């Protein structure tokens, strides 16, 4: 499968979810901007995937990122999507334009919703929906010292 084939339109994701569930593969969902993919992201996504049978990553569109983080994204949404989709442990990437992934979570109905351990369960968007639907909401440990913001700051401090 080509990585670009793992970028799924939200209106076409339902049959894929049904197939995975029929195969007994619990669906894990996480989301983010993933502006500059780094070790922290890779470790986090790999841990998330191992919690279930298929990993769906909700990816903020460029418009959504720019509302959340002024001056960003650094890479356009299709570049970010292709990079994420190229990871073996990412099964699907679905873009969302809203400020939060709640509508996408309600559409996907993940068996497991996951974020990094820098979030409290109660602060994870969609936690109530997933718990009320019989799913799990989990956090995974993050690799200390890695963040896109930190990388951008280090680049800006380099002599020109």
């Amino acid at each position: 499968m080509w990585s670009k084939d793992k970028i799924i339109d939200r209106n076409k994701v339902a049959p894929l979810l049904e197939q995975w569930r029929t195969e007994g593969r619990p669906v894990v969902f996480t989301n983010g901007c993933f502006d500059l993919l780094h070790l922290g992201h890779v470790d986090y996504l790999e841990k998330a995937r191992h919690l279930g049978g298929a990993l769906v990553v909700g990816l903020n569109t460029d418009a959504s990122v720019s509302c959340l983080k002024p001056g960003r994204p650094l890479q356009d949404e299709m570049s970010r999507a292709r990079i994420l989709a190229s990871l073996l442990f990412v099964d699907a990437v679905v873009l969302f334009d809203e400020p939060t992934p709640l509508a996408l979570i309600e559409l996907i109905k993940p068996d497991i919703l996951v974020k990094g351990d820098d979030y409290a369960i109660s602060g994870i968007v969609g936690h109530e929906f997933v718990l009320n639907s019989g799913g799990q909401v989990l956090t995974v440990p993050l690799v200390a010292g890695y963040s896109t913001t930190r990388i951008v700051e280090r680049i800006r401090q380099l002599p020109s």
Side-chain angles (χ1 to χ4, degrees), residues 80-146:
R80 293 181 290 118
R82 283 287 303 273
I83 291 167
L84 283 172
S86 73
L87 298 173
L88 293 175
F89 40 83
V90 171
D91 297 285
V93 177
V94 181
L95 282 91
F96 67 96
D97 206 35
E98 301 85 2
T100 76
L102 184 58
L104 185 56
I105 290 167
E106 291 172 345
L107 173 72
I108 290 173
K109 299 176 181 69
D111 301 293
I112 302 163
L113 174 62
V114 64
K115 289 295 276 181
D117 65 359
D118 54 338
Y119 283 83
I121 298 290
S122 62
I124 298 173
V125 171
H127 76 278
E128 291 174 338
F129 173 81
V130 172
L131 292 173
N132 290 337
S133 300
Q136 295 179 284
V137 180
L138 304 170
T139 61
V140 295
L142 296 177
V143 178
Y146 287 91

Side-chain angles (χ1 to χ4, degrees), residues 1 4-5 19 29 41 44 52 60 67 76 97 111 147 151:
M1 173 181 280
K4 64 182 179 183
D5 295 334
Q19 175 188 337
F29 177 87
H41 290 138
Y44 160 68
N60 294 75
C67 288
D76 66 87
D97 206 35
D111 301 293
S147 77
I151 292 170

